[in-house]
Structure formats: C-alpha cells, structure tokens
C-alpha cells in the first residue's frame, strides 16, 4: 500500500510538471506583454501552439540524418525526467534518491548536447552559429552551477536536493552570506540556461544574436512541439530548483498525508507564479547584452559561486 | 542575542567587503568605481560598528564614524570632484582581461584564507575570520592597483586596501585608538598628496594614464 502511495505521489509530480510547464511559459509571456502595455496572447496559448504543432506534418530537410529525427524525443525525455526529479511539492519522493543536483546538471547537459548536434546536423549556418554559442554559454554556466552545488553540499552535507531542502526546512540556519551569493549565482545561471533576456531573447527568431531559436530553426511539426515543451519544462525546472533550495517553505515531508501535500502543491504553484512574474519584470527592465559580454555575465556567476564556497569554507573551518 | 548570530552577522559584513572588493575589480566605468568604493566604505563602517557592539568596545564606534565620515563621504565626494575637473567622469577604462583579473582575485582570496586560518589556530573565531577576509581585501586592493592604468582607479585601489587594514585591525582586540586615528589621518594626507600628484601628472602629460610615465623610466631606455 505504502509503495502504491509513493508511486502515485511520484506519478503526480511527473504529470503535474508536464501539465504546468506551458502555463508557466504563458504566464511569463502575458506578464511581459502587459508590462509593455500590449494585450498579449491568452495565457493558454502555449497549449494551443503545442496541440497545433503536434497535428502538423513534419517537414524534413533532404540531408537530415536520423540524429535530427531522434534528437527531439531524447531532449524531451531527458528534460522531463530531470524536471520530475527536482522536489516540487513534497520531499523524499520515490525516485528522488536516485538523482542529486550534479546528476540533474548532467541530464540537462545531455539534452543540450543532443540539441547542439541536431542544430548542426542539417548544415545551415544558423544552426551552426546557435550550436557554437550554446556551447560557449554552457561551458561557462556549468562550472558556475557546479560551484553552487558545492556550496549547497558544504552547507547541507549532501548533494541530494531533498536532503538540502529538508536541512533548510528543519535546521536553524541563521544568517548565511554564502547562501545569498549562491542564490544570486543560481538565478544568473538559470537566466543564461533558459535563454532569457540579457543572454538570449526567447520572443524572436529573426535576430542575428539568437541562440536557442537558431538551433531549432529547421524543426517543424511534432519535433518542434517536443522541443518547445522541453524548453518550457526546463524553465519550470529551474524555477522549481530555486524555489526548492532557497524558498522551501510549505513543502510536504515525512509521512504522505493528503493535507500537507495539498498545501505543498499550492505553495509550489504560488512560488512558481511569483518567480515567473519576477522573471517577466526583470526581462522587461533590462536590455539584451551583446553575445560577447555573456562571458562576463556568467563569469560573475562563477565568481559569486566560488566566493560563496570560500566564505562557507571559512565559517565551517572555525 | 546568541553568539552564533553575532558571528553570522560579522561573517556577513566581512564577506560583504570581499564581495565589494570584487565589484571594484570588475567595474570599468569611473562612476561605477566611485559608487562601489562608497559601498565598500559603508560596509566597512557597518562591520566596524558591529565589532564595537560584540566586543563592547566603545572606541571602535569612533573608528566606525571615522570610516563613515572620511571614507564613505569626504573621499568619494572629493574623488568625484577631481574626476569631474579632470573631465574623465564618463571614461570607460580598458581593463586588460577582466576574466583573468577575476581569476587572480579568486586565487588571492583562497590564498589569504589558506594562509590565515592555519596560523591563527587558537584565536577567537570572529578575529580569525576578520583577519582572513581583511588579508583578502588587502590583496585585492593591491591587485587593483597593479591591473589599472588610470591613476584615479589606482588611488581607489589604495583606499580599498586601507579599508581592509582597518577591518583586520578592528577584528584583533586591543588596537589602541591613537593608532587608528593616526592611520586615518595619514590616509587623508596621502589622499591630498595623491590629488596634487594627479593634477601634476595631468598638467605634464595631458592624461592620467600612468603608462605615459613609462617613457621617463630609466630601465625602459
């Protein structure tokens, strides 16, 4: 019986991240449009886009290899697995022991690798540009992410996300400058990884500076739907990650009881909504930076992560 | 007020100084540098005032007030004036390799921590940590002085170095007040001398880029 409840709880998370991801994307778009005094698309538009794309035929380039056709499924599957394993509404779900923060970074790295290969597969110049830029950003974002993981591991004594959130929920933490630095660094990495505004512009595919959109330019139909869904899931994953580590309030832990889980679910949705609105406000208030300055931006994240680790190391050394 | 919280706040403020030192290294606009320097002095004043509180040492409040008055108000205002009069307030400095400088800074910070923590084994936790961070701030100030070419940024590097010294001095108990006051005044004198020098350099070479001085060094021929 307990096993069935555990399985159901894990299944609920898998279903709910997939169901909510396009809504989150829609919310960010609506808030951005309203801030620009446009009416904007309805909040459910991403669902409609996905359904429409799923019904459409796939148009393949003549020289597309099998890699080009399999990559979208791989990207979607890997991102979905990663998103399902970040604690969202409850701690210690059935599969959460199998994956820690570093493994989630690795899963996302796998998805990125597949996407970059697919971007270069057809041989158009845009795909190549996008892939090379994506790799440049990744090569700076991943070390920063690992340093954040080290900070959290030093802090909580584990790299398991459930363990970190449980530590933050139950222990007396006090005032920790390292956590603040890690939080800022994680936000910067999340912005870069999701191609949000100062790094990349998700709203356009007609710019020479685009990164993500350049790689997926050749995709159509259900392949494009899968890639769009994966992008939404990735945004949801990063916001959940920030919420799980730095705002763990209200998450259900211990015994599976309906009321705490319901409360955890509501708290999680509220946190996602809040972070989504903040993201939209941030994106509206800042200009996109030149591609060559992304290095400085992520170098800042790397530095903050390293400084956080160092400071924590000092206070632990006492 | 628990001991742990007192330590956490001291840690936060001292760590904040290291962070602002990195901001100084990162900035390439003159106004940004001056703003970051003002912030550096404000965090220093807060850190010193917190030390005065947890050590129950009233004379340290005076040090905090000196830091606030001179470092956070008088010197930034004077520097702003100088920068305005030199006409370089909108200048963007070409820093050679921000990434490399930051990496060097991280290395120096790690070095400071690795050097100070083992040798201060028996001391009080707050003092150890303040010493480690103040050494890091001093080294970062030195790094800023050697990586910048603009004389004004070099002055800011020197001043931030001196902030680090004060942080270290307040962490170690028993620093006589007379020493602190005299250090504060000697820094002010140094600042005046710097100011005079800046205008002399500018008068003679039409620039405050210290590379122009290299021609007059004997060893370059």
């Amino acid at each position: 019986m307990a096993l069935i409840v555990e399985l159901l709880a894990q299944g609920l998370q898998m279903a709910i991240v997939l169901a909510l991801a396009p809504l989150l994307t829609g919310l960010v778009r609506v808030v951005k449009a309203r801030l620009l005094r446009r009416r904007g698309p309805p909040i459910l538009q991403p669902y409609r886009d996905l359904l429409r794309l799923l019904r459409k035929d796939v148009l393949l380039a003549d020289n597309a290899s099998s890699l080009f056709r399999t990559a979208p499924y791989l990207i979607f599957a890997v991102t979905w697995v990663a998103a399902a394993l970040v604690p969202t509404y409850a701690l210690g779900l059935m599969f959460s022991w199998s994956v820690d923060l570093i493994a989630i970074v690795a899963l996302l790295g796998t998805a990125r690798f597949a996407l970059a290969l697919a971007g270069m597969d057809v041989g158009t110049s845009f795909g190549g540009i996008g892939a090379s830029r994506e790799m440049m950003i990744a090569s700076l974002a991943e070390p920063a992410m690992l340093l954040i993981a080290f900070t959290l591991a030093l802090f909580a004594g584990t790299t398991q996300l459930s363990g970190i959130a449980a530590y933050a929920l139950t222990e007396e933490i006090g005032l920790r400058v390292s956590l603040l630095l890690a939080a800022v660094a994680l936000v910067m990495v999340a912005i870069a990884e999701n191609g949000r505004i100062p790094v990349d512009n998700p709203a356009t595919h007609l710019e020479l500076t685009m990164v993500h959109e350049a790689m997926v330019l050749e995709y159509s139909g259900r392949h494009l739907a899968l890639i769009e869904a994966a992008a939404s899931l990735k945004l949801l994953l990063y916001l959940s990650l920030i919420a799980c580590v730095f705002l763990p309030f209200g998450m259900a832990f211990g015994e599976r009881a309906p009321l705490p889980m319901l409360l955890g679910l509501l708290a999680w949705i509220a946190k996602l909504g809040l972070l989504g609105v903040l993201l939209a406000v941030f994106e509206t208030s800042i200009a996109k930076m030149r591609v060559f300055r992304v290095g400085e931006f992520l170098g800042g994240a790397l530095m903050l992560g390293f400084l956080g680790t160092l400071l924590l190391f000092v206070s632990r050394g006492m | 007020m628990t001991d742990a919280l007192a330590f956490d706040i001291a840690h936060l403020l001292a760590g904040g100084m290291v962070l602002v030192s990195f901001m100084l290294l990162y900035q390439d606009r003159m106004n940004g540098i001056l703003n970051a320097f003002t912030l550096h002095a404000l965090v220093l004043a807060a850190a010193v005032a917190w030390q005065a509180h947890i050590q129950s040492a009233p004379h340290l409040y005076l040090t905090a007030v000196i830091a606030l008055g001179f470092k956070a108000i008088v010197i930034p205002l004077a520097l702003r004036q100088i920068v305005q009069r030199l006409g370089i307030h909108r200048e963007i400095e070409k820093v050679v390799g921000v990434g490399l400088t930051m990496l060097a800074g991280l290395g120096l910070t790690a070095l400071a921590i690795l050097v100070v923590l083992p040798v201060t084994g028996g001391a009080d936790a707050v003092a150890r940590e303040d010493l480690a961070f103040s050494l890091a701030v001093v080294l970062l100030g030195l790094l800023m002085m050697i990586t910048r070419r603009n004389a004004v940024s070099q002055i800011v590097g020197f001043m931030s170095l001196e902030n680090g010294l004060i942080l270290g001095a307040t962490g170690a108990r028993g620093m006589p007040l007379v020493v602190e006051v005299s250090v504060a005044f000697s820094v002010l004198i140094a600042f005046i001398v710097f100011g005079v020098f800046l205008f002399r350099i500018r008068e003679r070479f039409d620039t405050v880029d210290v590379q122009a001085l290299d021609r007059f060094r004997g060893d370059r021929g």
Side-chain angles (χ1 to χ4, degrees):
Chain A
M1 187 62 204
L3 188 68
I4 294 173
V5 172
E6 287 291 316
L7 265 178
L8 277 179
Q10 182 69 57
L12 175 67
Q13 162 145 3
M14 289 203 79
I16 207 164
V17 288
L18 188 61
L20 281 185
L23 187 66
L24 180 66
T25 309
L27 174 76
V28 175
R29 282 187 197 156
V30 166
V31 176
K32 267 174 84 174
R34 286 293 150 84
L35 286 171
L36 298 172
R37 305 208 61 176
R38 289 188 287 119
R39 180 176 294 165
I43 199 164
L44 297 178
Q45 189 64 37
Y47 293 102
R48 293 185 195 149
D49 289 349
L50 288 180
L51 289 179
R52 169 61 61 88
L53 283 172
L54 281 176
R55 280 202 303 268
K56 283 195 168 184
D57 279 342
V58 171
L59 198 62
L60 275 180
D62 291 337
N63 54 351
S65 69
S66 62
L67 184 103
F68 188 79
R69 272 173 280 134
T70 46
Y73 300 100
L74 180 70
I75 294 163
F76 177 74
V78 168
T79 316
W80 190 16
V81 167
L85 292 172
V86 175
T88 53
Y89 67 98
L91 293 177
L93 286 181
M94 195 169 179
F95 296 141
S96 66
W97 54 266
S98 59
V99 170
D100 63 355
L101 188 52
I102 295 172
I104 285 177
V105 175
L107 280 174
L108 290 176
T110 312
R112 182 178 14 245
F113 175 68
L115 185 60
L117 278 187
M120 290 189 290
D121 186 63
V122 181
T124 58
S125 48
F126 264 132
I129 289 180
S132 94
R133 283 179 182 165
E134 177 82 3
M135 282 300 139
M136 182 193 82
I137 292 173
S139 68
L140 292 160
E142 273 173 17
M145 190 69 199
L146 283 181
L147 280 172
I148 296 165
F150 291 154
T151 307
L152 295 174
L154 265 177
F155 173 68
T158 170
T159 52
Q160 294 282 356
L161 281 169
S162 277
I164 294 169
Y167 184 87
L169 270 177
T170 51
E171 300 284 319
E172 185 78 24
I173 296 170
L175 209 57
R176 288 268 169 253
V177 65
S178 302
L179 278 190
L180 183 73
L181 297 181
V184 174
L186 182 58
V187 168
M188 287 166 89
V189 169
I191 285 170
E193 290 267 1
N194 285 294
R196 306 310 294 197
I197 261 190
V199 176
D200 186 11
N201 191 347
T204 175
H205 45 94
L206 293 171
E207 258 189 74
L208 281 175
T209 54
M210 59 195 176
V211 180
H212 179 80
E213 295 295 330
M215 281 188 291
V216 304
L217 213 53
E218 295 295 322
Y219 275 112
S220 56
R222 59 176 186 277
H223 292 160
L224 186 59
L226 285 175
I227 287 182
E228 297 272 319
S232 295
L233 274 171
K234 197 172 171 188
L235 180 65
L236 181 110
L237 182 155
Y238 267 98
L239 293 191
S240 299
L241 191 63
I242 294 171
C244 153
V245 178
F246 297 108
L247 311 162
F249 323 109
M251 292 171 88
F253 60 98
E255 286 290 303
R256 301 267 166 264
L259 188 64
M261 282 171 73
L262 188 66
L263 282 179
L265 205 56
L266 289 178
W268 175 58
I269 291 171
K271 283 183 265 185
L272 275 190
L274 179 73
L275 289 174
V277 170
L278 285 179
L279 174 67
V281 171
F282 177 75
E283 274 198 295
T284 317
S285 57
I286 202 163
K288 190 182 164 312
M289 62 172 77
R290 292 175 60 212
V291 174
F292 298 109
R293 290 203 52 202
V294 171
E296 285 178 29
F297 179 78
L298 283 171
L302 187 67
M303 187 205 82
L304 287 174
F306 191 78
L307 214 54
T309 313
L310 271 183
L311 294 188
L312 203 59
F313 181 71
V314 171
S315 66
R316 281 295 148 94
M318 296 297 159
Chain B
M1 182 72 60
T2 57
D3 266 3
L5 185 63
F7 174 73
D8 279 348
I9 293 180
H11 183 76
L12 173 79
L13 291 169
M17 280 199 70
V18 179
L19 182 65
V20 180
S21 279
F22 273 101
M23 279 166 65
L24 273 173
L25 270 181
Y26 188 79
Q27 276 294 344
D28 54 359
R29 281 162 210 270
M30 203 36 92
N31 272 332
I33 289 179
L34 293 184
N35 286 340
F37 175 64
T38 313
L39 186 64
H40 203 257
L42 284 177
V43 179
L44 172 74
V48 173
W50 184 252
Q51 287 284 347
H53 177 71
I54 54 176
Q55 296 181 15
S56 321
H59 70 275
L60 282 183
Y61 282 118
L62 191 64
T63 315
V65 171
I66 292 176
L68 187 70
F70 282 164
K71 299 275 183 53
I73 297 170
V74 176
I75 290 182
L77 278 181
L79 273 177
R80 246 170 244 279
Q81 199 103 44
I82 289 177
V83 164
Q84 288 277 349
R85 275 175 59 193
L86 291 173
I88 54 171
H89 54 290
R90 295 178 67 94
E91 201 157 289
I92 298 171
E93 202 174 359
K94 287 182 206 69
V95 186
V96 230
V98 177
L100 219 57
T101 315
M102 300 308 262
L103 280 183
L106 288 176
L108 286 176
T109 314
L111 179 76
I113 289 168
L114 289 180
V115 165
V116 171
L117 288 191
V119 299
T120 53
D124 176 42
V126 179
R128 285 176 76 189
E129 171 210 61
D130 263 8
L131 277 179
F133 287 157
S134 71
L135 183 59
V137 172
V138 168
L139 290 177
L140 290 175
L142 277 176
L143 183 66
M144 182 164 175
M145 285 179 77
I146 57 176
T147 51
R148 297 305 177 109
R149 286 169 47 183
N150 187 316
V152 178
S153 337
Q154 292 189 351
I155 293 175
V156 172
F158 174 78
M159 296 285 162
S160 72
L161 182 156
E162 206 272 332
N163 285 351
L165 287 180
I166 292 194
L167 180 72
T170 52
R173 289 166 197 228
M175 166 110 153
L177 182 62
V178 62
V179 178
E180 278 172 37
V181 173
S182 62
V183 167
F185 277 102
S186 60
V187 167
L188 206 61
I189 303 285
F191 177 74
I192 294 168
V193 175
F194 277 140
V196 173
F197 256 112
L198 266 183
F199 284 104
R200 298 286 293 178
I201 293 173
R202 154 92 164 186
E203 215 169 277
R204 202 158 273 253
F205 303 108
D206 283 334
T207 172
V208 282
D209 187 336
V210 290
Q211 289 243 297
L213 298 178
D214 278 357
R215 280 189 292 136
F216 296 89
R217 273 168 44 177
D219 54 345
R220 287 276 175 98

